[in-house]
Amino acid sequence: MSERKVALITGASRGIGRAIVADFKADHDVALTWRSTPPKTQEGLCAIQSDLTESGAAEAVIEQVMARFGRLDVIINNAGLVAMTPVDAYALSDHQAIMDVNYHAPVALLAAALPHLKSGAAVVNITSGNASLPPMGAVTYGASKAALNLWTKGMAKELGARGIRVNAVAPGAIEIPEAPRPAELVQLFVDQTALGRIGQPDDIARAVRFLASDAAEFITGVVLDVSGGYRL
């Protein structure tokens, strides 16, 4: 049985998820999920390969976490899918895939974890500024994150009496080392950001840590914008 708090981070082999793992592993026992890209290092981690959109996957992940650590204190729903969905090339499967990863998977994971969560537990969802700033040609991605925002608030209301907090972090433009953007696109983001720089994965990780920590024990139902003032 683990004595330290246990954090489960989904989609954590690269980018923002990887930064969150690096931040948490110093003082938490960490379980992470990955689908197609294994984490570069698994030392000290419980790394679980899983496609969270598959039936029964959420329950299997929670079972593995409980078998390894005996407790679960923090869930960070980071796994996400970004894809173009132009309306003139509609395919139901494309839209369903986005909703399955970005919305249905966090719902299923919380449902599976709920019997094991005690008062003081925290859920942090990684949403997006695109929930309110719909991206051209990828509106379904923004819609999936808007649904996640509303669900965050709804779960905060439903689970508050049990002492479980549910919040979200909405990143703006974040530079992902594994998938660098063209320099001209980065400059466009910088020009539209009040603080004059593009975000880094560590910026999001620090915000997640705060919302998951006891320092935020009276904060729930919040979608925290962490964008440097993007498109103010």
Side-chain angles (χ1 to χ4, degrees), residues 35 49-61 100-101 104-105 108:
R35 185 178 66 86
Q49 184 177 16
S50 178
D51 182 344
L52 290 169
T53 66
E54 293 181 352
S55 177
E59 292 83 356
V61 166
D100 283 348
V101 176
H104 295 139

Side-chain angles (χ1 to χ4, degrees), residues 80-85 98 101-102 128 130 135 138 141 145:
L81 175 62
V82 182
M84 300 300 290
T85 50
I98 293 169
V101 176
N102 296 351
S128 172
N130 287 134
Y141 169 73
K145 294 300 188 177

Side-chain angles (χ1 to χ4, degrees), residues 119-134:
S119 179
V123 178
V124 183
N125 300 314
I126 306 301
T127 176
S128 172
N130 287 134
S132 57
L133 299 169

Side-chain angles (χ1 to χ4, degrees), residues 23-228:
D23 189 283
F24 272 72
K25 70 179 183 180
D27 56 1
H28 287 68
D29 287 325
V30 173
L32 63 88
T33 71
W34 59 279
R35 185 178 66 86
S36 56
T37 304
K40 289 185 176 180
T41 177
Q42 299 183 24
E43 183 178 356
L45 305 173
C46 175
I48 304 168
Q49 184 177 16
S50 178
D51 182 344
L52 290 169
T53 66
E54 293 181 352
S55 177
E59 292 83 356
V61 166
I62 297 302
E63 286 176 6
Q64 290 184 64
V65 174
M66 295 305 297
R68 172 74 176 270
F69 299 116
R71 62 185 289 175
L72 180 57
D73 304 279
V74 178
I75 299 174
I76 300 163
N77 287 303
N78 170 74
L81 175 62
V82 182
M84 300 300 290
T85 50
V87 68
D88 57 358
Y90 175 77
L92 176 59
S93 59
D94 294 340
H95 295 259
Q96 189 66 52
I98 293 169
M99 292 301 297
D100 283 348
V101 176
N102 296 351
Y103 178 72
H104 295 139
V107 175
L109 199 62
L110 179 57
L114 200 53
H116 308 288
L117 299 181
K118 298 179 180 179
S119 179
V123 178
V124 183
N125 300 314
I126 306 301
T127 176
S128 172
N130 287 134
S132 57
L133 299 169
M136 288 289 290
V139 174
T140 297
Y141 169 73
S144 71
K145 294 300 188 177
L148 188 60
N149 284 353
L150 186 61
W151 181 73
T152 295
K153 294 176 181 292
M155 288 301 98
K157 187 173 183 178
E158 289 191 25
L159 301 180
R162 297 173 61 164
I164 299 170
R165 298 183 301 105
V166 186
N167 292 293
V169 171
I174 305 297
E175 184 66 8
I176 304 301
E178 298 90 344
R181 295 181 174 92
E184 59 271 20
L185 181 57
V186 171
Q187 189 59 52
L188 177 63
F189 287 138
V190 169
D191 291 344
Q192 294 182 322
T193 300
L195 292 181
R197 70 170 176 86
I198 196 167
Q200 299 297 323
D202 286 345
D203 294 317
I204 307 306
R206 286 190 290 268
V208 170
R209 167 173 281 276
F210 168 67
L211 288 176
S213 73
D214 292 341
E217 66 178 0
F218 201 56
I219 299 175
T220 196
V222 165
V223 178
L224 179 61
D225 180 280
V226 184
S227 68

